[in-house]
């Protein structure tokens, strides 16, 4: 007996299914109290204090350059909608609709991507979806009456005051945001709700109306894991050593300032007048150390031996240092760049390394950045697209998706060699789609119609050479390029560097 088809094997209605009484029992273990996530033991890295810590860290040139590098790489890719394989014709008009959505917002798609990518710095980022009806009177470029996106509004991380959960902490509801009461020039009162007459304090950004991007969300934390948290200690020690180096250089350049005064002023039980003199000289020495004073006036008083009661001199600081502070700083700098996937920024600075090493580092960084882009893609495809389909009342059985282009542009020299070699042994079908794919990779402007026949392609591109000898290399053994030599004549093709 033949196996039943899927339609015969699966019930077609819910009435055919057995009853089921199952509910969620466990928890993800995230510690949340009064809307605050308390997983992080270090208060400097616990939200919301962490945001201000990260802002201070971003003033460091090493951290800032690494963060900017990653976010610039993320923003360099092109995002485009695409239908699943086999549904290209059926979903063509919906794919075109998504293209128009990308270009019909108040802010550009590129600007939105840059703001979204801040989750790789702070651990999370939030974009509120603001829908509208696409009519020209509403500011749209289109007048089709469909639901679209007016803007993807960025909600700054430092305005989020807490989170909201339901079902005993199992279901995430949204983020609470503090309202920034903006007043214009000449406007004395903050903004109030016209319906209630009360001033806005907080609003709830519900998860179904936002795009929430999170970096490595341990325990499904709404705040994710900020990469800057991993380099906090390295950054802190780096700053300490930089200050130590600055003080050391200052002392080496200007010397150590020494003031000799009679011992009566240094006694713990000195009378008020002597104590005041000592305090005055302490202040003078502090000011000279920081450069607030450039000179010192002392009384010309001599003792019985003709020595001055008050004497000031600058002593040169000699001797060698026990540690090489610049090397220590450099080691922390490398730790920071490594943790932030930006070691490629130091390629060639130390005088070592190679082009191959630099290429390997770049490929590794691109792989990590691509993983972050995939996280963004999941949010688009699981939240944004279903949101738009529900607004328009469309069938959600099969949906198009957002995809992104390759993060690295192909090396034209290597790519062209590969096409030449693979094509020479006839492993590339001469089709319009393949030709167009190659043109896309090379950045060529023109395309061939995908309905073009083989004859039309040959007429346009010229007939392929049928007598090429590439690929006949080892047909009959031997060491020459075409394979018929017995080895005594050698292999002349080895002198061609392009064959190596």
């Amino acid at each position: 007996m033949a196996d039943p088809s899927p339609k015969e094997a699966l019930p077609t209605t819910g009435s055919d299914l057995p009853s089921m009484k199952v509910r969620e029992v466990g928890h993800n273990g995230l510690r949340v109290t009064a809307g605050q996530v308390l997983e992080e033991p270090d208060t400097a890295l616990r939200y919301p204090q962490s945001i201000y810590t990260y802002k201070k860290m971003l003033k460091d040139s090493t951290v800032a350059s690494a963060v900017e590098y990653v976010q610039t790489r993320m923003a360099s890719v092109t995002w485009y909608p695409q239908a699943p394989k086999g549904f290209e014709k059926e979903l063509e008009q919906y794919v075109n609709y998504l293209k128009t959505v990308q270009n019909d917002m108040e802010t550009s798609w590129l600007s939105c991507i840059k703001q979204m990518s801040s989750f790789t710095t702070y651990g999370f980022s939030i974009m509120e979806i603001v829908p509208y009806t696409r009519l020209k009177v509403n500011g749209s470029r289109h007048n089709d009456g469909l639901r679209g996106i007016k803007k993807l509004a960025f909600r700054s991380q430092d305005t989020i005051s807490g989170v909201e959960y339901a079902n005993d902490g199992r279901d995430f509801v949204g983020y609470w945001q503090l309202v920034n009461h903006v007043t214009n020039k000449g406007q004395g009162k903050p903004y109030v709700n016209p319906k209630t007459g009360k001033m806005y304090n907080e609003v709830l950004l519900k998860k179904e109306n936002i795009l929430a991007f999170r970096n490595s969300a341990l325990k499904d934390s709404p705040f994710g894991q900020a990469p800057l948290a991993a380099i906090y200690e390295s950054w802190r020690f780096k700053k300490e050593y930089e200050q130590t180096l600055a003080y050391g250089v200052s002392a080496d350049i200007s010397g150590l300032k020494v003031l000799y005064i009679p011992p009566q002023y240094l006694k713990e039980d000195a009378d008020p007048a002597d104590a005041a003199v000592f305090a005055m000289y302490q202040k003078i020495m502090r000011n000279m150390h920081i450069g607030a004073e450039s000179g010192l006036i002392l009384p010309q008083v001599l003792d019985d031996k003709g020595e001055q009661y008050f004497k000031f001199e600058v002593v040169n600081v000699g001797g060698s240092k026990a540690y090489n502070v610049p090397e220590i700083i450099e080691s922390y700098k490398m730790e920071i760049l490594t943790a932030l996937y930006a070691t490629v920024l130091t390629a060639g600075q130390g005088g070592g390394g190679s082009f191959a090493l630099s290429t390997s580092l770049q490929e590794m960084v691109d792989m990590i950045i691509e993983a972050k882009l995939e996280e963004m893609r999941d949010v688009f495809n699981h939240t944004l697209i279903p949101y738009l389909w529900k607004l328009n009342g469309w069938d959600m059985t099969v949906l198009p998706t957002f995809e992104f282009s390759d993060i690295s542009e192909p090396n034209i020299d290597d790519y062209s060699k590969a096409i030449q070699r693979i094509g020479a042994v006839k492993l590339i079908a001469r089709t319009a789609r393949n030709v167009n794919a190659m043109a896309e990779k090379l950045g060529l402007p023109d395309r061939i119609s995908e309905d073009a026949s083989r004859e039309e392609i040959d007429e346009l591109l010229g007939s392929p050479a049928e007598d090429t000898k590439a690929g006949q290399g080892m047909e009959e053994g031997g060491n020459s390029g075409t394979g018929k030599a017995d080895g005594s004549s050698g292999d002349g093709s080895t002198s061609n560097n392009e064959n190596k």
Side-chain angles (χ1 to χ4, degrees):
M1 180 178 178
D3 292 334
S5 66
K7 289 186 177 179
E8 295 173 339
L10 297 177
T12 57
T13 63
S15 60
D16 298 327
L17 297 174
S19 60
M20 180 178 66
K21 294 182 179 180
V22 179
R23 65 183 181 87
E24 188 176 1
V25 177
H27 297 77
N28 64 12
L30 187 68
R31 295 176 56 201
V32 181
T33 301
Q36 300 298 319
V37 178
L38 304 178
E39 288 292 323
E40 174 58 54
D42 193 333
T43 55
L45 302 178
R46 184 186 302 164
Y47 193 85
Q49 182 60 35
S50 60
I51 300 300
Y52 299 98
T53 300
Y54 301 149
K55 285 184 175 181
K56 289 173 61 179
M57 295 174 68
L58 286 171
K59 294 183 182 295
D60 183 278
S61 59
T62 302
V63 177
S65 60
V67 169
E68 182 66 22
Y69 170 75
V70 172
Q71 293 187 359
T72 300
R73 294 284 293 168
M74 293 181 68
S76 66
V77 303
T78 300
W79 290 88
Y80 57 91
Q82 178 177 287
K85 290 184 178 180
F87 294 88
E88 291 84 357
K89 291 294 183 182
E90 181 180 346
L91 297 180
E92 182 179 2
Q93 59 181 337
Y94 297 105
V95 170
N96 292 333
Y97 160 76
L98 287 176
K99 291 179 181 178
T100 63
V101 168
Q102 286 181 276
N103 299 312
D104 193 36
M105 297 188 294
E106 287 186 357
T107 54
S108 69
W109 181 262
L110 176 61
S111 176
C112 291
I113 293 296
K114 287 184 176 180
Q115 292 173 324
M116 294 171 190
S117 64
S118 63
F119 79 94
T120 60
T121 302
Y122 297 103
F124 74 104
S125 63
I126 303 170
M127 307 293 289
E128 184 177 358
I129 307 172
V130 183
Y132 76 142
T133 302
R134 304 204 316 179
L135 297 173
K136 292 189 175 181
V137 294
N138 293 335
S140 174
R141 298 179 182 179
H142 308 277
N143 209 37
D144 51 20
L146 295 175
R147 300 292 193 270
I149 298 176
K150 185 176 183 179
K151 61 181 176 179
L152 293 174
F154 178 63
R155 300 301 176 228
S156 178
Q157 288 89 349
D158 57 8
T159 64
I160 302 302
S161 58
V163 293
E164 183 80 9
Y165 278 89
N167 190 19
D168 197 21
R170 296 184 182 90
D171 300 328
F172 178 68
V173 177
Y175 297 87
W176 284 101
Q177 183 190 29
L178 290 171
V179 175
N180 182 21
H181 299 293
V182 179
T183 57
N184 297 320
K185 184 177 181 181
Q187 182 180 355
K189 295 182 179 180
Y191 183 71
V192 297
N193 188 329
K195 295 183 179 180
T196 63
K198 295 181 179 180
M199 188 168 60
Y200 284 126
N201 292 319
E202 289 182 310
V203 293
L204 179 62
L205 304 174
K206 294 185 177 181
K207 68 174 184 179
E208 56 266 25
N209 298 325
I210 61 174
L211 300 178
F213 302 91
R214 299 174 297 167
N215 182 73
S216 304
L218 180 65
K219 294 185 179 180
D220 201 25
S221 171
F223 296 131
Q225 291 282 102
L228 294 189
I231 64 167
Y232 175 66
E233 293 296 331
S234 298
W235 167 79
R236 192 163 62 87
F237 285 126
K238 174 176 171 290
K239 298 301 291 183
E240 291 290 340
Y241 279 110
E242 285 176 341
Q243 292 180 359
T244 300
L245 180 62
Y247 291 146
V249 170
S250 176
D252 287 345
I253 292 176
S254 57
L256 180 64
K257 300 173 181 64
V258 180
L259 176 65
Y260 298 94
I261 61 177
Q264 68 187 67
Y265 298 104
L266 305 176
K267 294 180 179 179
E268 293 184 2
D269 57 348
D271 60 57
D274 290 343
V277 171
F278 179 56
M280 178 192 69
Y281 281 119
Q282 281 185 309
K283 181 179 180 181
I284 291 173
M285 295 298 286
R286 281 196 299 269
N287 290 341
M288 293 188 70
H289 178 70
I290 64 176
E293 294 185 11
S294 58
L296 179 63
I297 300 176
L298 296 174
Q300 181 69 8
V301 181
L302 304 178
D303 59 15
D304 296 338
K305 297 181 180 181
E307 298 290 338
Q308 287 183 310
Y309 273 106
F310 297 90
K311 183 180 179 181
F312 175 78
E313 64 181 13
V314 178
V315 180
N316 290 327
V317 181
S320 61
K321 305 297 186 296
Y323 300 99
N324 190 324
V325 177
E327 285 187 2
I328 296 175
I329 294 173
E330 191 66 24
S331 69
Y332 282 119
K333 178 180 177 181
M334 287 303 300
E335 285 185 11
I336 292 172
L337 293 174
T338 300
L340 296 181
Y341 332 120
T343 50
V344 69
L345 294 178
T346 64
Q349 291 186 14
S354 63
F355 178 77
L357 176 61
S358 175
T359 302
S360 298
L361 286 174
Q362 186 65 66
E363 290 175 351
M364 182 181 66
V365 171
D366 288 348
M367 181 176 63
I368 296 172
I369 294 177
E370 186 174 354
K372 304 303 178 185
L373 291 170
E374 288 174 352
E375 293 178 6
M376 295 178 63
R377 180 180 62 188
D378 286 346
V379 175
F380 289 143
N381 295 337
H382 287 87
T383 303
L384 182 60
I385 292 179
Y387 179 91
L388 289 170
W389 257 239
K390 290 177 183 177
L391 283 183
N392 286 288
W394 293 335
D395 179 31
M396 299 182 62
T397 305
V398 181
L399 302 178
T401 60
F402 272 112
E403 305 295 336
F404 56 88
S405 62
D406 292 338
I407 190 171
S408 297
E409 294 295 329
N411 183 295
I412 294 181
D413 185 49
D414 293 340
Y415 185 73
S416 61
K417 289 178 185 177
I419 296 300
Q420 180 186 22
R421 293 167 182 172
I422 299 173
V425 293
K426 304 176 184 178
L427 290 180
I428 299 179
R430 200 173 173 86
T431 65
R433 293 184 64 182
N434 282 344
V435 173
N436 289 340
M438 297 175 199
E440 180 73 24
K441 285 284 187 182
L442 297 173
L444 302 178
D446 296 328
R447 300 291 184 272
I448 298 176
S449 171
E450 293 195 359
D451 297 328
S453 65
R454 173 62 185 269
E455 291 74 18
E456 291 173 326
I457 296 175
D458 289 345
E459 182 180 354
L460 182 63
L461 302 180
S463 298
E466 300 293 341
D467 58 349
T468 176
K469 297 300 186 294
Q472 299 179 11
M474 298 299 292
E475 281 184 352
E476 301 178 16
N479 294 320
S480 72
T482 56
K484 294 183 179 181
D486 60 4
S488 61
S489 60
D491 182 3
S493 68
T494 58
S495 62
N496 184 354
N497 289 329
E498 299 301 325
N499 290 337
K500 296 180 179 179

